[in-house]
Amino acid sequence: MSGSSYYRLRRIKDVIVRFMVYLALLIALIPLFSVIFEVARRGIIAINLDFFVKPTPTVGEVGGGIANAIQGTFITIGLTCLIGVPIGVISGIFLSEYSESRFSTIIRFFNEVLNGIPSIVIGIFSYALIVLAVGFSVIAASFALSIIMIPIVTRTTEEALKLVPATIREAAIALGMPRWKTVVYIVLRSAKKTVATGILLAIARITGESAPILVTMGYWRWWFAGLNRPVANLALNIFLFANSPFENWVVLAWGSALILIMMVLGINIVVRILMRERY
Amino acid sequence: MSRIMDAELRNLSTIIYKMGDLAYQAVSMAIYESLYGRDSYDRIKEISDTLILLADQVEDKIFEIIIRFQPVASDLRIVKSYMKISYDITRLGRYALDISYINKRFGGLGGSEEWIRTYIADMSEKALSMVKMVMEILRSQKIEVIKSVSEMEEEIDKLYINFLNKIIDETNIKSRVVVSSVLVIRYFERIADHVAYMCESIIYMLTGRKEFLR
Amino acid sequence: MSTYKIEVEKLNAWFGSKQVLKNIDMKVKDRAVTAIMGPSGCGKTTFIRCLNRMHELTPGARVSGRVLLDGINIYDDGIDPVQIRRKVGMIFQKPNPFPMLSIYDNVALGPKLNGVKDRKTLDLIVRRSLELAGLWDEVKNDLDKSGVSLSGGQQQRLCIARALAVEPEVLLMDEPTSALDPMSAAKIEALIRKLAENYTVIIVTHNIQQAARVSDYVAFFYLGELIEYGPTKDVFEKPRSELTERYITGKFG
């Protein structure tokens, strides 16, 4: 075979493979973009000022909004973070910095198991533990969501701290810093962006959860009325409104979906920026 | 594993050994002249000049080794000692030339008194064998032989002093003979001294000890 | 009062079941530079890490024997390793300023955590430490910049300033110039000589010429044993041990 025809064959193969790769990419992106496109197309009609400032309309009421669901979602996420972030971060610190303890292998194992449990199961667990005592409430929902959050934050924190070079730790210890100060002032501080990234990803994950919300908080179409009462929730809104017979509620469901997608997208963009800034 | 420096050090040794051979030739020619009067001044001059040239080469090579390899420990002691030894060898050549010059200028000691010739034969023979021995020690690194070299050096010193004491009292020797014999004997004594310095360098090179044999 | 700052007696160290230091006896002179040299894996780094109790931080690591700092055994019960590390500072092979801190904070962090709160005092400590490390003139206008924005050599001097800020008495240096270019390395070496006027400096190096240049005393470690220890000039002119001779002349292996 002559040299030039050999190279031509190679070029042709190269073009074919490249074409296939792009095709596969296109096929993978079609569902994503069609979801975003469809949600945007249908959701955009719902969006106006009322949509953001008015609560869920009563049956037969025209217009209305999802303001109470946005409020409820933020409150729920906030309370979840209050429970989940400290526990997750501290567990992550333990696993990364005190990994010589045999205990940590066990914790790591259960953390993985916890991460794999379906969220509805966690919802049921929270129902049995809290709803039966307190009733459907923000507390019960946040408790369930924080159980989903903790393993994610734990793992990302552990990984973030392990990325901090050992030389930095040694530098701090050699300065005569006690271990806990080294961990808090040096290691955690060096990894704060990566840890924040992990927390944000966990928030993105729980923002979209609806199954545990359904069994712990249920439906609530009014404003926030206390932590021992339910609040409205975006993800749940989509589930309930979309199934409703009222046309304006269906429109609100699409609007909620759009807002939810924007929130998750927004979080992911922030994460991207944080990741790029690291080191 | 051999080092790059080893080849350079071997080159250096080769030059030093060659210098030793040349110096031995020069000294033996000078002795032959003194005792039997053959004129080999030009040849000795040639050797002495070559020795100076080679010593310059040695110094140059040693600087190159220092620049390239920053020698330490035995390497450092070798280059330091070689530097000194190469100088000592040029001195041997130079004294041979001085002796030759005296012979050329005053016509040798072939016709001088018997006892003077005995002294010169005795001392020159000892000096020459010292030159031979020190070069052998350098090659073989048999440091224990140095003791006998330094004993010979002491003997030469004694002979030198005795000779001076004796000749100072002689009144009926031609001043030509007095001057040339004293100078020649003095030069042999100096040759022995430099051989002793070389022994000191060898001891330092091989053991790191700084000994004084004089 | 002896002139020895550190006296090491029968020091043994292990990683798990592997013994990396064997019965080391060594007395380190005060206000002098002592260089530790030896081939990789000879235990030289472990040795200095035993002197500020850093060795024991490695999982499975163990130490026996005594290390007297000013006559007090740093391995005695009731001795706080944290306190020892404040007296015995350490500089590492790779410059490791805290990346998230400014130049100022890198130096100020140690004294701050040790309880110095007054801003003026901190300013003074930072300035004096940077001056001692020969870095002040180069960074005095950039104290707010990140420590990692500096060049490698400057970073290493920043690390030295950081160590000096906690007012140690001994400085351990683990191959402090091996990651630097020759010019930066030369600056650090000059700095080491200057520091020896007030500090006891122990430097690990596998650069034999560097050991010869900077040290007053030099120790040669091989396979966890102290083979030779003496004044630098003596060791480099006439080593007592054949092993040392072979190591420093490059006839090893």
Side-chain angles (χ1 to χ4, degrees):
Chain A
M1 193 187 285
S2 82
S4 79
S5 70
Y6 172 69
Y7 281 115
R8 192 183 308 150
L9 187 70
R10 263 175 62 166
R11 258 205 307 279
I12 291 169
K13 276 193 213 162
D14 183 48
V15 168
I16 293 172
V17 169
R18 201 180 299 180
F19 173 76
M20 278 159 53
V21 168
Y22 282 124
L23 191 68
L25 186 67
L26 196 67
I27 293 169
L29 285 179
I30 285 171
L32 176 64
F33 280 110
S34 58
V35 165
I36 292 176
F37 176 75
E38 193 64 16
V39 169
R41 191 176 67 82
R42 292 182 183 237
I44 204 98
I45 354 171
I47 291 177
N48 52 38
L49 189 63
D50 280 358
F51 181 74
F52 288 110
V53 297
K54 294 213 169 152
T56 313
T58 49
V59 177
E61 186 185 341
V62 181
I66 57 158
N68 59 334
I70 294 176
Q71 180 209 36
T73 301
F74 277 110
I75 288 172
T76 313
I77 291 174
L79 185 60
T80 304
C81 288
L82 230 50
I83 305 167
V85 169
I87 297 177
V89 169
I90 290 169
S91 312
I93 290 175
F94 179 82
L95 290 183
S96 161
E97 304 301 307
Y98 299 84
S99 56
E100 70 270 17
S101 156
R102 190 176 298 167
F103 197 41
S104 56
T105 321
I106 301 167
I107 292 183
R108 202 172 286 120
F109 174 73
F110 281 110
N111 201 51
E112 290 306 311
V113 171
L114 195 59
N115 200 21
I117 294 176
S119 55
I120 186 69
V121 177
I122 291 167
I124 300 290
F125 171 66
S126 175
Y127 177 86
L129 206 69
I130 298 185
V131 174
L132 292 183
V134 184
F136 290 102
S137 60
V138 181
I139 293 177
S142 293
F143 177 74
L145 292 181
S146 62
I147 291 177
I148 297 169
M149 186 182 208
I150 285 168
I152 303 173
V153 174
T154 300
R155 205 186 48 212
T156 51
T157 303
E158 182 190 359
E159 275 160 18
L161 298 195
K162 277 186 173 160
L163 278 181
V164 176
T167 55
I168 301 286
R169 278 186 190 79
E170 292 206 315
I173 291 168
L175 275 184
M177 257 187 235
R179 194 163 176 179
W180 70 269
K181 275 189 180 173
T182 302
V183 171
V184 175
Y185 287 91
I186 302 299
V187 181
L188 202 55
R189 211 153 147 188
S190 306
K192 62 182 176 205
K193 276 185 187 157
T194 333
V195 171
T197 304
I199 293 170
L200 283 174
L201 285 173
I203 290 174
R205 161 88 193 273
I206 58 165
T207 307
E209 282 292 344
S210 55
I213 303 279
L214 187 66
V215 294
T216 54
M217 205 149 62
Y219 174 58
W220 185 259
R221 36 185 280 253
W222 298 275
W223 293 97
F224 172 68
L227 290 177
N228 54 349
R229 312 287 296 275
V231 290
N233 181 280
L234 277 173
L236 204 59
N237 265 10
I238 300 169
F239 174 69
L240 295 169
F241 289 7
N243 288 329
S244 82
F246 313 111
E247 196 178 320
N248 64 333
W249 282 33
V250 174
V251 171
L252 285 180
W254 284 108
S256 302
L258 182 59
I259 297 301
L260 203 58
I261 284 184
M262 301 287 270
M263 278 173 67
V264 173
L265 209 64
I267 290 173
N268 275 292
I269 288 169
V270 172
V271 164
R272 283 275 145 175
I273 292 167
L274 280 179
M275 299 274 267
R276 203 174 38 223
E277 276 180 5
R278 196 184 348 147
Y279 304 118
Chain B
M1 193 185 65
S2 118
R3 307 168 303 161
I4 316 175
M5 190 179 2
D6 291 337
E8 303 289 331
L9 289 175
R10 270 198 302 278
N11 278 340
L12 216 50
S13 309
T14 314
I15 300 176
I16 297 274
Y17 299 155
K18 188 175 161 196
M19 287 177 76
D21 291 345
L22 286 172
Y24 181 81
Q25 266 181 45
V27 173
S28 50
M29 276 191 269
I31 293 170
Y32 203 82
E33 270 185 349
S34 303
L35 295 175
Y36 309 108
R38 185 200 286 170
D39 177 15
S40 39
Y41 180 82
D42 291 342
R43 174 70 190 128
I44 295 178
K45 173 92 173 74
E46 198 182 299
I47 291 178
S48 175
D49 289 349
T50 311
L51 285 176
I52 290 167
L53 222 74
L54 289 174
D56 282 348
Q57 254 185 49
V58 166
E59 190 173 314
D60 216 46
K61 274 199 180 299
I62 285 172
F63 266 71
E64 192 178 339
I65 287 175
I66 291 172
I67 289 164
R68 284 183 192 277
F69 309 109
Q70 294 96 45
V72 293
S74 61
D75 299 328
L76 181 61
R77 299 200 308 270
I78 287 173
V79 295
K80 183 200 171 187
S81 304
Y82 275 7
M83 193 106 104
K84 290 182 84 172
I85 288 171
S86 69
Y87 169 75
D88 286 326
I89 298 178
T90 63
R91 293 315 296 164
L92 302 183
R94 179 67 210 195
Y95 289 130
L97 184 65
D98 287 340
I99 292 168
S100 181
Y101 175 77
I102 299 298
N103 294 331
K104 194 180 158 92
R105 177 75 180 72
F106 300 111
L109 293 159
S112 62
E113 280 72 3
E114 183 64 30
W115 70 267
I116 293 179
R117 294 184 57 215
T118 313
Y119 260 102
I120 289 175
D122 204 9
M123 276 182 78
S124 64
E125 197 186 310
K126 284 199 165 69
L128 188 65
S129 62
M130 278 174 75
V131 172
K132 195 182 179 72
M133 281 163 86
V134 76
M135 290 314 293
E136 268 166 16
I137 295 167
L138 192 57
R139 277 175 218 255
S140 67
Q141 310 202 334
K142 279 186 186 137
I143 209 163
E144 55 283 1
V145 188
I146 281 179
K147 198 165 180 299
S148 53
V149 179
S150 72
E151 280 167 10
M152 286 171 87
E153 200 265 342
E154 276 166 29
E155 285 168 29
I156 286 183
D157 275 356
K158 270 190 207 119
L159 286 171
Y160 172 65
I161 300 294
N162 290 346
F163 180 79
L164 289 184
N165 289 339
K166 205 159 173 183
I167 203 156
I168 200 87
D169 296 331
E170 297 276 352
T171 49
N172 51 356
I173 297 178
K174 287 194 207 92
S175 51
R176 182 186 65 84
V177 171
V178 174
V179 170
S180 60
S181 65
V182 167
L183 281 172
V184 165
I185 283 209
R186 167 69 181 161
Y187 291 139
F188 281 122
E189 189 270 339
R190 290 303 298 149
I191 286 175
D193 274 352
H194 279 279
V195 171
Y197 300 158
M198 288 165 75
C199 289
E200 288 168 8
S201 292
I202 294 172
I203 292 174
Y204 172 73
M205 180 172 97
L206 297 177
T207 68
R209 288 199 308 273
K210 284 168 184 162
E211 282 185 18
F212 294 100
L213 300 175
R214 292 151 281 166
Chain C
M1 182 81 196
S2 79
T3 55
Y4 295 115
K5 186 72 183 172
I6 295 176
E7 290 167 75
V8 176
E9 292 171 1
K10 299 228 174 316
L11 184 73
N12 291 279
W14 292 264
F15 283 119
S17 59
K18 186 172 181 281
Q19 187 166 9
V20 283
L21 286 178
K22 294 166 193 163
N23 256 328
I24 308 293
D25 281 303
M26 190 170 154
K27 291 178 176 175
V28 181
K29 270 260 169 54
D30 191 18
R31 283 157 214 257
V33 180
T34 301
I36 316 277
M37 59 180 185
S40 302
C42 68
K44 55 191 192 296
T45 295
T46 305
F47 176 71
I48 63 164
R49 289 172 69 93
C50 287
L51 303 185
N52 67 345
R53 296 196 56 177
M54 293 274 284
H55 174 67
E56 67 208 50
L57 297 177
T58 313
R62 208 152 49 84
V63 180
S64 80
R66 286 161 32 110
V67 175
L68 305 179
L69 176 65
D70 290 328
I72 294 160
N73 182 13
I74 66 170
Y75 283 98
D76 265 349
D77 297 339
I79 297 274
D80 180 4
V82 166
Q83 294 303 324
I84 295 300
R85 289 178 205 133
R86 285 178 196 173
K87 277 193 179 175
V88 184
M90 193 166 199
I91 312 296
F92 298 85
Q93 185 171 2
K94 224 177 127 225
N96 55 359
F98 299 126
M100 66 293 179
L101 296 184
S102 67
I103 293 171
Y104 181 96
D105 286 334
N106 258 286
V107 182
L109 184 71
K112 259 190 207 166
L113 293 177
N114 290 352
V116 181
K117 295 228 165 56
D118 178 47
R119 179 77 193 187
K120 277 223 176 76
T121 316
L122 277 176
D123 285 352
L124 209 70
I125 294 175
V126 169
R127 175 166 184 166
R128 205 192 46 215
S129 307
L130 285 169
E131 277 174 348
L132 257 173
L135 192 61
W136 174 253
D137 289 331
E138 289 160 60
V139 301
K140 62 184 170 196
N141 299 319
D142 299 318
L143 292 175
D144 297 334
K145 281 198 183 158
S146 160
V148 284
S149 66
L150 299 171
S151 77
Q154 289 174 321
Q155 286 189 26
Q156 194 61 298
R157 279 179 285 149
L158 176 61
C159 293
I160 293 173
R162 180 178 65 189
L164 293 175
V166 293
E167 299 181 341
E169 293 159 20
V170 178
L171 282 175
L172 307 174
M173 300 191 171
D174 188 1
E175 299 183 25
T177 66
S178 65
L180 305 181
D181 64 278
M183 292 294 285
S184 309
K187 276 189 190 161
I188 302 274
E189 286 178 8
L191 175 58
I192 290 170
R193 288 304 322 167
K194 206 181 88 190
L195 289 173
E197 291 166 13
N198 295 302
Y199 301 88
T200 302
V201 182
I202 302 177
I203 172 175
V204 163
T205 177
H206 52 205
N207 180 337
I208 292 158
Q209 294 301 332
Q210 181 174 67
R213 280 194 298 272
V214 303
S215 68
D216 301 299
Y217 298 89
V218 65
F220 172 59
F221 278 64
Y222 184 61
L223 297 176
E225 286 178 64
L226 175 59
I227 304 295
E228 181 148 1
Y229 177 43
T232 304
K233 187 196 172 248
D234 295 0
V235 173
F236 279 97
E237 188 185 2
K238 171 59 189 132
R240 274 175 282 119
S241 151
E242 178 62 27
L243 271 173
T244 318
E245 161 82 34
R246 279 171 50 208
Y247 178 72
I248 63 178
T249 57
K251 290 174 189 157
F252 233 63

